[in-house]
Amino acid sequence: MSCRGWPSCDHSRASYAMEFSRHVLTAEMLDPGTKRLVRSSIDVRIDPLTGHSSRIVSERGLMPSSDFDLAAFARENQPRCPFCPERIESLTPRLPSSVHPDGRIACGEAILFANLHAYSSHSCVSVYSPRLHYLPLREMTERLLADNLLTQVAHAKAVFAADPQSRWASINANHMLPSGSSLFHPHLQGIVDSQPTTLQRMLAEVPAARFEGYLRAERRAGERYLGDTGRIEWLVSFAPIAPAELRAFIRGISSPVELDEELAVELAHGLALALGAYAEMGFESFNLALYGAPPGLDGYPLNLRLAARSNLRAFYRSDSTFLERLHWEGAVDLVPETITERIGGRFRS
Ligand SMILES: [Zn+2]
């Protein structure tokens, strides 16, 4: 296992001296109106787990609230939607019988099927419900989320049984077009593969003591810690890759296949709280990744990232720029500690 040069990294030590590493850069310019010298600061932060860096810039309205008529757009594109009740049976691919004899997996209203456009050996899509072509974030209930998560868990378990080489499972979401979704109808996506993604690999290489130190330091600092819902801890990212980024950590399990129904419901509860907060902040598009490692990976807490994306509107600005895409550097104008204040005490009640 590589530690990639962490100064305080020593596997023989029981704990880490956890630091929230940051440095502030100052930029100068002459104001075009007053001609006076103006200074601005850029808060560069290093993620305590993977070491990537992120730039927090002055808030300047880069993520405006949604003013798009999503309901009208939903009515316009619904007649062609393959995930709606009239077409889901005939237009979505079934899972191979080697993975699941029924070809589809249902739980409550959620239905899971094979992804028409595969991104891994085992790619699947699961809708919250065929009837919910339009599902604004304020209407994302714990039940809808739990049932959809449980179809994903069942799929990952079925793949593990059918293909023992595939041990890396993740549950993901592109919600609304700005997040990368090619279809309007809300859904989750699962990837189960023999190969981890870059971040699955990087996170799986983080020593257990570093995860523990990070959570302990965030609990103690309190500036970004949101609370726990029982077995799952939630916080705002210190060095976000994307806007309004939240993280959750589930100790004791390392893969989505180890989520039992009770824990899936608890995770859904936290997600419903988080998405409700996003709705209050005016967001309607998000990405989600639940980064699974192989089951039983000692000390690895199954963890997720949830991030808001730009809102849909004509000529909208993408929140993903050359920094995120080509430098792997987050750049946001939403200060993590301000996001913590706006989410408030909902995870502590
Ligand atoms: Zn639809």
Side-chain angles (χ1 to χ4, degrees):
M1 192 176 284
S2 162
C3 299
R4 298 177 308 283
W6 283 108
S8 58
C9 183
D10 178 351
H11 284 283
S12 65
R13 287 166 56 180
S15 64
Y16 285 86
M18 179 59 62
E19 289 172 10
F20 291 111
S21 177
R22 62 204 287 186
H23 56 275
V24 177
L25 308 174
T26 302
E28 294 184 341
M29 65 162 185
L30 296 177
D31 184 282
T34 65
K35 316 290 187 217
R36 289 194 175 145
L37 183 69
V38 176
R39 290 193 176 89
S40 58
S41 58
I42 302 105
D43 181 3
V44 182
R45 302 182 179 192
I46 309 297
D47 181 75
L49 295 178
T50 54
H52 76 261
S53 47
S54 179
R55 290 163 189 251
I56 318 296
V57 300
S58 305
E59 199 155 347
R60 57 188 178 101
L62 290 178
M63 294 287 289
S65 295
S66 179
D67 57 5
F68 192 83
D69 191 346
L70 284 169
F73 184 53
R75 286 192 295 275
E76 189 184 314
N77 63 50
Q78 194 274 336
R80 299 177 301 283
C81 176
F83 295 170
C84 274
E86 309 90 310
R87 289 168 292 276
I88 189 167
E89 184 70 20
S90 59
L91 291 185
T92 60
R94 290 176 176 271
L95 301 167
S97 56
S98 58
V99 171
H100 203 283
D102 300 336
R104 295 202 166 92
I105 297 170
C107 183
E109 291 189 60
I111 299 178
L112 179 145
F113 41 89
N115 194 335
L116 189 61
H117 307 291
Y119 289 92
S120 65
S121 306
H122 304 278
S123 272
C124 67
V125 170
S126 56
V127 294
Y128 296 89
S129 166
R131 74 179 171 87
L132 294 171
H133 179 73
Y134 173 44
L135 181 54
L137 296 198
R138 66 178 179 279
E139 293 174 20
M140 281 278 202
T141 65
E142 181 179 309
R143 189 71 261 163
L144 287 169
L145 285 155
D147 286 343
N148 206 351
L149 286 171
L150 286 166
T151 64
Q152 290 285 339
V153 171
H155 173 259
K157 283 181 177 173
V159 171
F160 275 37
D163 176 7
Q165 298 297 313
S166 291
R167 308 296 282 166
W168 296 88
S170 64
I171 302 175
N172 314 279
N174 296 328
H175 192 95
M176 287 286 148
L177 283 76
S179 68
S181 175
S182 58
L183 283 167
F184 185 90
H185 197 124
H187 56 277
L188 295 175
Q189 289 192 46
I191 285 180
V192 189
D193 216 344
S194 55
Q195 304 299 316
T197 63
T198 305
L199 267 166
Q200 277 177 306
R201 175 173 47 75
M202 290 173 75
L203 285 164
E205 287 174 356
V206 174
R210 181 161 282 274
F211 279 110
E212 288 164 18
Y214 175 49
L215 286 169
R216 191 166 50 243
E218 285 289 27
R219 270 184 234 118
R220 192 180 302 137
E223 292 175 284
R224 292 164 297 275
Y225 192 75
L226 295 170
D228 71 82
T229 53
R231 288 175 61 189
I232 306 175
E233 292 185 279
W234 287 80
L235 49 85
V236 178
S237 286
F238 170 72
I241 296 173
E245 183 181 291
L246 309 189
R247 299 178 94 159
F249 296 84
I250 312 173
R251 277 179 292 178
I253 63 169
S254 56
S255 167
V257 298
E258 297 167 298
L259 279 171
D260 60 21
E261 181 163 354
E262 189 182 340
L263 207 46
V265 169
E266 187 187 329
L267 180 58
H269 172 67
L271 284 170
L273 292 175
L275 295 174
Y278 277 3
E280 274 184 23
M281 290 181 226
F283 302 134
E284 280 299 340
S285 180
F286 70 89
N287 284 122
L288 161 71
L290 181 64
Y291 301 107
L297 184 64
D298 190 30
Y300 179 80
L302 180 62
N303 64 96
L304 71 78
R305 265 202 183 82
L306 179 73
R309 300 299 308 269
S310 298
N311 280 312
L312 193 59
R313 57 162 61 171
F315 311 113
Y316 77 96
R317 169 197 174 268
S318 171
D319 57 88
S320 186
T321 71
F322 70 87
L323 280 165
E324 287 84 3
R325 296 306 304 272
L326 304 182
H327 287 261
W328 294 3
E329 177 98 350
V332 297
D333 73 335
L334 299 175
V335 179
E337 292 72 28
T338 305
I339 296 296
T340 313
E341 283 171 22
R342 292 178 75 176
I343 291 174
R346 66 186 77 203
F347 282 86
R348 290 191 288 271
S349 56

